[in-house]
């Protein structure tokens, strides 16, 4: 199999998994330059959660869990490292003493990636980080569709009087004209609510919402059809709050909710996005201190590989390599 001459991935068939320094999906650790097509990066920010913190340690733990990942997708056959120049470009700088400065730093960092033509796949960090990421992407792509996987709709106006935190990004992004509401799909919503109206903003804005009750009624196949149809044509972003998945499989998160998406279904849903114009993605809310077995980190590394495969394929299809 021909390898991209620009890139020599670390092959676990040659270099043992337990050796060397850990990187995201075993890619080379390189600076974010114009040579990079897809930048895997960490955003170690957790200053805007209202319950259990520790998501700042997510990127480092996903690097360790990435040791398991191989080079080729088992179902699609996509070998992303043969298609695109994919690197671990390190972590976005944040200020652990200042939320507002950190949000600005994150936006500026992703502005820089856009200028260099790098498609980002970010590992959080709490679920505030999609807002500054999407602000940067909007300057390049305009309004986007989004697949938002989460136990919570993240459309509250405020928590404790605060407007930018891990429960508000899907509202702020709409207010700021970042999202095309007709191409917004939210899936996985469940759990007790603050108020009966917690989801009203989603519905009034025209988002398509598949709660876990809906998902169980309609089944995976029909849900995938709805996701694919809603996202339609044009640029899409993928944001996974890991609490969208069932805490039996993904316990290492700040706000676990019973009765979520199982990892197998999440894999199949992501595979169904092959062919879409994917412009960026994140997986957030992993708190390794709450993950004693490390299984959440392993799950996230595998979901990041799923996203990487469809993203590399997308860049090739849309002529962005
Ligand atoms: Mn969330």
């Amino acid at each position: 199999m021909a390898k991209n001459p620009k890139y020599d991935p670390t092959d676990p068939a040659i270099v043992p998994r337990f050796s060397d320094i850990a990187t995201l999906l075993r890619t080379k650790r390189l600076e974010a330059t114009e040579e990079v097509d897809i930048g895997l990066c960490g955003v170690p920010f957790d200053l805007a959660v209202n319950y259990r913190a520790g998501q700042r340690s997510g990127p480092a733990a996903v690097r360790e869990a990435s040791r398991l990942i191989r080079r080729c997708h088992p179902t699609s056959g996509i070998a992303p490292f043969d298609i695109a120049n994919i690197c671990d470009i390190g972590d976005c700088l944040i200020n652990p003493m200042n939320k507002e400065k950190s949000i600005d730093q994150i936006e500026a960092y992703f502005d820089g990636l856009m200028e260099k033509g790098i498609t980002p796949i970010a590992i959080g960090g709490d679920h505030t980080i999609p807002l500054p990421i999407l602000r940067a992407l909007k300057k390049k792509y305009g309004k986007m569709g989004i697949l938002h996987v989460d136990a919570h709709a993240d459309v509250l106006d405020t928590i404790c009087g605060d407007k930018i935190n891990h429960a508000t990004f899907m509202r702020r992004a709409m207010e700021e004209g970042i999202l095309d509401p007709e191409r917004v799909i939210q899936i996985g919503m469940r759990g007790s609510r603050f108020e009966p109206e917690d989801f009203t903003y989603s519905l009034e804005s025209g988002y398509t919402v598949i709660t876990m009750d809906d998902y169980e009624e309609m089944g995976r196949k029909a849900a995938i059809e709805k996701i694919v149809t809603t996202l339609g044509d044009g640029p899409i972003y993928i944001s996974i709050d890991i609490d969208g998945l069932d805490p039996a499989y993904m316990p290492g998160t700040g706000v676990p909710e019973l009765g979520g998406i199982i990892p197998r279904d999440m894999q199949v849903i992501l595979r169904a996005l092959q062919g879409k114009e994917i412009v960026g993605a994140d997986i957030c809310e992993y708190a390794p201190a709450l993950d004693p077995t490390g299984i959440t980190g392993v799950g996230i590394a595998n979901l990041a590989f799923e996203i990487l495969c469809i993203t590399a394929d997308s860049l090739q299809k849309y002529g962005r390599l």
Side-chain angles (χ1 to χ4, degrees), residues 149-168:
V149 179
D150 204 320
H152 317 97
D154 291 1
V155 290
L156 298 183
D157 186 25
T158 60
I159 288 186
C160 304
D162 178 278
K163 287 181 90 84
I164 295 185
N165 57 63
H166 78 153
T168 59

